[in-house]
Amino acid sequence: GKSLVVAVDGPSGSGKSSVSKAVATRLGLAFLDTGAMYRSVAWHCLNGRISFADAAAVEAAARTVKMAQSMDPGTEMFTINGINVTAAIREPKISEAVSAVATNLGARAELIRRQQALIAEHGRRIVVEGRDITTVVAPDAEARLILTASEEARLRRRGLQLGGTQSAEQLAEQVLARDAKDSTVVDFQRAADGVYTVDSSDLDFDATVDAVIAVVRRAV
Ligand code: C5P
């Protein structure tokens, strides 16, 4: 079919992952979760006792790790060297460690290269979600948008996602501190030229999916 890359960036807790998956399902596109790739490298380093302080070792880990993900938006599945890490990469210890991978420029270059290869392999019929997709990974995407939400909405959603097991302080640390760290490498809060913004603070899930689909239709 015709090339349709939908690039979605945004902060954590903006709902971009579940919204992007639903958009991919509705449009019949593949789905690529790039954050899961950063998380997978972090998991691999922790599991293999690779020190995050050793930038060359982290970069080498990003280059050599065998990771795969189901790019069917209806199936969530991540493997590293054949091990199912779907739940493990969502653990708080990974969220806390992942910025060491995200701020490693060699590791980033490698993951960006892999992401671009995956987009090509899927015939450029894909929704790609992350922090630097609209600007770095796929600046040539047919539709580019930033999904934002107020700090309050993001903390509430992440809290629900984690099943109310975290205190307000833990949540704030995980969501806001991670965004602050991420902002040092990629500017995902401000839409670049030609990039649409969808603010989901006052929209429910279905309305957010509709708003994103409307942006895609307007853009193509
Ligand atoms: O989206 P998710 O919260 O799973 O992303 C995990 C981490 O991966 C982010 O906090 C960020 O540090 C990093 N990341 C990135 N670039 C992307 C996607 C994620 O730096 N495109």
Side-chain angles (χ1 to χ4, degrees):
K2 205 160 135 258
S3 172
L4 179 52
V5 178
V6 179
V8 183
D9 287 328
S12 47
S14 61
K16 69 187 153 44
S17 188
S18 41
V19 168
S20 299
K21 261 188 235 173
V23 169
T25 300
R26 283 223 346 228
L27 298 177
L29 302 174
F31 169 69
L32 177 62
D33 179 342
T34 64
M37 297 172 75
Y38 288 86
R39 290 172 178 276
S40 292
V41 175
W43 183 93
H44 180 68
C45 290
L46 282 174
N47 191 56
R49 298 192 169 32
I50 294 164
S51 165
F52 288 114
D54 185 346
V58 173
E59 179 179 345
R63 286 184 189 283
T64 54
V65 67
K66 282 200 177 67
M67 59 176 148
Q69 63 176 282
S70 158
M71 291 173 60
D72 165 1
T75 317
E76 185 168 339
M77 167 75 143
F78 302 95
T79 60
I80 299 171
N81 296 324
I83 304 167
N84 185 338
V85 294
T86 311
I89 62 169
R90 303 291 170 202
E91 282 175 14
K93 68 173 185 221
I94 300 296
S95 304
E96 281 153 28
V98 72
S99 79
V101 179
T103 54
N104 182 305
L105 295 184
R108 284 201 84 77
E110 168 64 15
L111 294 185
I112 290 164
R113 193 192 59 72
R114 289 194 193 209
Q115 289 153 16
Q116 291 172 335
L118 287 167
I119 293 168
E121 273 170 38
H122 284 77
R124 296 186 55 83
R125 305 249 333 139
I126 188 167
V127 178
V128 189
E129 173 256 297
R131 302 288 191 291
D132 60 348
I133 313 307
T134 61
T135 50
V136 179
V137 175
D140 56 351
E142 281 72 20
R144 293 184 296 155
L145 62 112
I146 291 201
L147 194 57
T148 59
S150 66
E151 215 169 272
E152 189 212 336
R154 289 161 49 213
L155 288 173
R156 191 180 61 235
R157 283 178 197 153
R158 188 45 63 94
L160 289 175
Q161 208 176 60
L162 294 174
T165 54
Q166 314 267 315
S167 71
E169 291 73 30
Q170 282 174 313
L171 274 177
E173 161 61 23
Q174 283 172 29
V175 176
L176 306 180
R178 189 145 61 87
D179 283 346
K181 284 187 211 161
D182 289 344
S183 299
T184 65
V185 266
V186 274
D187 186 2
F188 54 86
Q189 314 259 25
R190 219 172 23 125
D193 216 26
V195 177
Y196 292 84
T197 299
V198 172
D199 185 337
S200 71
S201 307
D202 300 318
L203 301 178
D204 67 16
F205 181 79
D206 291 337
T208 308
V209 173
D210 287 343
V212 172
I213 300 236
V215 165
V216 174
R217 301 226 190 276
R218 211 179 318 150
V220 299

